[in-house]
Amino acid sequence: MSLQERFIKNLKRYREELGCSQEQLGNRLGSDRTAISRYERTSSRMTIERADALARALDVDVRVLLETPEDHPIAHRPPGSPISSKLVGQNVRDRRTAQHISQKELGDRVGMDRNHVSRIEASTSSAAALQLATLEKLAVAFGIKPTDLL
C-alpha cells in the first residue's frame, strides 16, 4: 500500500470514527463534499500541505494518518507544527549533503531528474507543492520513514 493510499484510508476511517460527514469536513476546509469524496477515492494527487490541512480539520497530527497501519487503531494525537514542502525540501537537502550524495545521485535513486531534486530543495512556492508519492520515494532513497522528512 502506498503512502497516499494509507493516508486516505486512515483519513476516511478517522473521519467516520469521529462521526464527521464528508460535508462537515469540507465545510471545515472551506470546500465541499465532492472535494472530500474525490480525496477519499484517491483520484487526486495529494500534496503534503493538503494532507496536513485535512488532518488538522479533524484535529489529528498528519503523521498519525500517514504512519498507522490499516489494521491498527488510530491514536488521537493533536496536530504538531504545520508541515510544508519548503521544510521537507530543507530536510532533503540536509540529509543529502550529510550523506555526501549529489542531486543527480539522489535523482537517480528516486527516478527523477536532478533539476526536480533541485526544485524540491529550493521549494519556495505552492507551485512546488510536494506530493505524498514523491515524499515516499525520497524516504525510500534515504532508507527512512516518510514522516522523518516532515
Side-chain angles (χ1 to χ4, degrees):
M1 174 182 306
S2 74
L3 183 64
Q4 178 170 310
E5 290 168 335
R6 182 179 317 119
F7 172 78
I8 292 298
K9 285 183 189 245
N10 284 337
L11 174 76
K12 181 178 181 180
R13 190 163 54 114
Y14 194 70
R15 177 185 60 74
E16 289 174 344
E17 285 175 13
L18 294 175
C20 180
S21 69
Q22 288 179 338
E23 185 172 354
Q24 289 168 321
L25 179 55
N27 288 340
R28 292 178 189 180
L29 288 168
S31 187
D32 61 14
R33 183 202 60 76
T34 58
I36 303 305
S37 175
R38 189 172 47 253
Y39 293 136
E40 289 184 354
R41 288 191 320 269
T42 68
S43 63
S44 64
R45 295 182 179 142
M46 183 70 62
T47 66
I48 62 172
E49 285 85 359
R50 176 54 64 184
D52 190 45
L54 286 161
R56 285 178 182 286
L58 293 175
D59 194 35
V60 67
D61 194 293
V62 68
R63 293 159 190 85
V64 171
L65 300 180
L66 290 168
E67 292 179 338
T68 304
E70 70 177 309
D71 59 343
H72 287 68
I74 299 173
H76 176 73
R77 188 168 76 216
S81 57
I83 63 170
S84 69
S85 294
K86 182 177 180 177
L87 176 63
V88 172
Q90 291 169 349
N91 291 338
V92 167
R93 184 186 60 244
D94 292 347
R95 284 184 182 273
R96 181 184 58 73
T97 56
Q99 293 182 18
H100 307 289
I101 302 169
S102 71
Q103 288 180 336
K104 181 179 181 340
E105 289 171 312
L106 180 58
D108 290 345
R109 288 184 188 181
V110 177
M112 66 178 64
D113 183 77
R114 180 203 67 79
N115 292 323
H116 191 169
V117 174
S118 179
R119 283 191 300 276
I120 290 168
E121 291 183 359
S123 177
T124 57
S125 70
S126 62
L130 196 65
Q131 295 178 6
L132 291 181
T134 304
L135 176 69
E136 185 172 30
K137 288 177 185 178
L138 289 164
V140 168
F142 287 122
I144 59 175
K145 297 184 308 184
T147 52
D148 291 341
L149 288 170
L150 301 180

